[in-house]
Amino acid sequence: MGELSTYLVSAFIGISLAAATGFRIFMPLFLLSLSCRLELFQVGNEWAWTGSNLVLITTSIAMVIEISAYYLPVVDNILDTISIPLATVAGTLLFAIQFTDISPFFRWSAAIIAGGGTAATISTVLAGTRAASSIGTAGLGNFVISTLETIGSTILTVLAISVPFIAVLVVLALFYFFGKFGKKQLQKKLKKRRKEVKN
C-alpha cells in the first residue's frame, strides 16, 4: 500500500509538471532545478544533475528568453509552432524523472503517454487560443494570454512540488474546461457550416 501511494504521488507530480510545461516550457524546468539545488525537492541519483549550477543557470536564461519572446508580436505565434514538440519532450522528461525504480520500458512508455500527452494537449490548446486572439484582437490580447500562461505555469509547478494532490486536481479541471470549450467551439463551427450549406 505504501509503495502504491508513493507511485501515485510520483505520477501526480509528473503529470502536473508536464502540464506546467504546456504553459511555459522552461519555467517548470527552472523551478525544479532550483528546488533540487536548495534541497527542497529530491530526485533519484541518476537525475541529480538537474540541481547542478549549469542546469540552473541554463534553464533560468532559457526561461527569461522564452517569457520575454512571448510578449513580442508575431514572434509569439512563431514560437507556438515549436512549443508543442518542445513541451512534449519536456513533459516526458519531467514525468520520467519521478520514476527511477521501475524498468526503463515502463517508465518511458508512461512518460510519453502521460507526461508528453498532457504537455502536448495543453500546449496545443493554448497555441490555438493565441492564434484566435491574434486574429480577433490584432495581437493585442496576446499580452494578457502570455501573462496568464506564465502565472499558470509558475503556480502549477509550485503546487506540483509542494502539494501534488491539489496540482493534479487543477490539471483535471483544466482538461474539463478545455473539453467543454472545445466542444462549444466545434458546435459553433458545425452551425456555421450548416448555415453556409443552406445559403
Side-chain angles (χ1 to χ4, degrees):
M1 187 66 180
E3 189 172 318
L4 177 60
S5 63
T6 300
Y7 284 138
L8 279 175
V9 171
S10 296
F12 290 165
I13 295 172
I15 289 172
S16 301
L17 288 175
T21 64
F23 287 91
R24 281 290 174 271
I25 297 167
F26 292 104
M27 177 65 77
L29 294 170
F30 164 71
L31 290 178
L32 180 66
S33 179
L34 179 62
S35 297
C36 291
R37 189 75 182 85
L38 298 175
E39 298 184 353
L40 299 174
F41 188 80
Q42 292 184 338
V43 294
N45 291 331
E46 64 179 292
W47 299 102
W49 53 267
T50 56
S52 67
N53 289 331
L54 177 61
V55 173
L56 183 61
I57 293 170
T58 302
T59 54
S60 64
I61 293 172
M63 175 193 65
V64 171
I65 292 173
E66 180 187 19
I67 292 174
S68 302
Y70 269 106
Y71 286 107
L72 300 175
V74 181
V75 175
D76 59 347
N77 289 314
I78 294 175
L79 283 176
D80 281 334
T81 62
I82 61 173
S83 66
I84 297 172
L86 287 179
T88 303
V89 172
T92 300
L93 176 65
L94 288 174
F95 188 94
I97 285 176
Q98 310 310 315
F99 296 90
T100 58
D101 57 348
I102 62 175
S103 72
F105 174 78
F106 287 111
R107 180 201 309 173
W108 289 105
S109 296
I112 292 170
I113 296 170
T118 297
T121 300
I122 291 179
S123 185
T124 300
V125 171
L126 293 176
T129 302
R130 190 185 305 283
S133 173
S134 296
I135 296 172
T137 66
L140 298 177
N142 289 15
F143 179 89
V144 176
I145 294 174
S146 294
T147 301
L148 291 175
E149 286 175 351
T150 301
I151 294 173
S153 181
T154 304
I155 292 175
L156 198 49
T157 302
V158 172
L159 288 176
I161 293 172
S162 55
V163 278
F165 177 72
I166 300 297
V168 81
L169 289 179
V170 173
V171 174
L172 291 174
L174 284 171
F175 273 104
Y176 176 78
F177 172 77
F178 290 155
K180 294 282 285 187
F181 179 75
K183 186 178 180 181
K184 189 177 291 186
Q185 292 298 109
L186 181 61
Q187 289 174 342
K188 284 183 179 180
K189 287 182 179 180
L190 289 174
K191 285 182 181 180
K192 186 176 180 181
R193 287 180 181 177
R194 285 169 186 166
K195 287 181 180 179
E196 291 175 351
V197 170
K198 288 181 179 179
N199 294 333

